Amino acid sequence: MTAALITAGMLLSCTGCVFTQVRENSTAEKQQIDGWHCEVLFHTKIQEPYRISEEQEAADRETLSGYYNMPLELTEDDTIRGWFDQDVSIAIGNASDCSDSARGKTSYADAAYGDTWYFDLTEPEKYVHGLPDRLMPDAIRISYMPKGSVIVNERECIMINFCYTNEAGDAVTDAMGFTIFNGKDTTDGWNWNTSQN
């Protein structure tokens, strides 16, 4: 599973993966929403055979829509409240990994544009429920970007990826990712033209 989660880091680095944007709020909606809200649910393809096929994607997206609309609160002590079945800390001291730019940082306040901290939940059944077995993730990777990234521009962002592995459980095949922003969109949008083969 460790190898699978390392591979999951590729979900956010755009290396060897393809993003498929599958749902987005309109620009007008983005400019009006205060607080944390999910703007996009995307499918990231890493390695075939994918858990979510093109034929199943619309139905699977509908199945996951409850999580798309789930409220989220990030407390002052860096705890995600409300989105999962139990609170999840994304304090830097609990990170399982970070982007190269973030190495050596000691606090979110010191973070430069593009720094990302990763948090892995290896027992997803403790955190999400109500999903069919096929859509229950093998792991959940949370990525916190306090000042944005090359993908989401200069916006505070939390990405929650439901990661799916191959039968051996040693590589991530694909993921459904919830991209959650805080507050109104004050940027020119975000860089979804970063797909690579």
Side-chain angles (χ1 to χ4, degrees):
M1 183 57 77
T2 301
L5 291 174
I6 290 171
T7 305
M10 294 169 58
L11 299 174
L12 301 170
S13 66
C14 298
T15 304
C17 64
V18 177
F19 289 110
T20 304
Q21 185 173 325
V22 294
R23 184 170 182 176
E24 180 177 6
N25 288 331
S26 70
T27 301
E29 288 173 323
K30 288 190 288 184
Q31 292 172 347
Q32 298 300 318
I33 300 173
D34 285 314
W36 287 96
H37 60 281
C38 184
E39 286 188 8
V40 169
L41 166 60
F42 63 86
H43 183 206
T44 303
K45 302 173 183 179
I46 300 278
Q47 175 179 307
E48 294 187 83
Y50 307 127
R51 185 82 63 91
I52 297 168
S53 68
E54 289 183 18
E55 296 77 23
Q56 296 168 323
E57 195 168 279
D60 289 346
R61 192 171 49 214
E62 185 62 31
T63 300
L64 294 170
S65 65
Y67 282 99
Y68 180 94
N69 294 305
M70 194 72 69
L72 181 148
E73 175 190 358
L74 185 63
T75 67
E76 290 184 7
D77 65 348
D78 303 316
T79 299
I80 294 175
R81 205 168 267 163
W83 206 91
F84 296 104
D85 290 352
Q86 57 182 286
D87 292 352
V88 174
S89 173
I90 57 170
I92 287 178
N94 296 327
S96 57
D97 200 1
C98 62
S99 62
D100 288 342
S101 63
R103 298 193 189 284
K105 301 292 185 183
T106 57
S107 71
Y108 291 147
D110 295 332
Y113 171 72
D115 293 352
T116 306
W117 284 269
Y118 303 106
F119 306 85
D120 296 320
L121 306 179
T122 56
E123 298 180 279
E125 64 279 357
K126 292 183 176 181
Y127 300 94
V128 296
H129 69 278
L131 299 175
D133 289 344
R134 191 178 59 76
L135 283 180
M136 178 59 73
D138 295 299
I140 297 171
R141 169 158 277 204
I142 302 168
S143 303
Y144 180 57
M145 293 160 275
K147 296 188 177 181
S149 76
V150 68
I151 300 173
V152 300
N153 293 340
E154 297 176 3
R155 303 178 63 191
E156 184 180 21
C157 178
I158 294 172
M159 281 188 179
I160 299 173
N161 286 277
F162 286 3
C163 302
Y164 302 106
T165 63
N166 59 17
E167 288 187 13
D170 61 4
V172 173
T173 63
D174 53 328
M176 291 298 277
F178 301 85
T179 310
I180 304 170
F181 292 105
N182 187 13
K184 299 174 182 177
D185 184 359
T186 58
T187 72
D188 292 328
W190 39 313
N191 301 325
W192 278 102
N193 296 320
T194 56
S195 299
Q196 299 179 9
N197 294 321

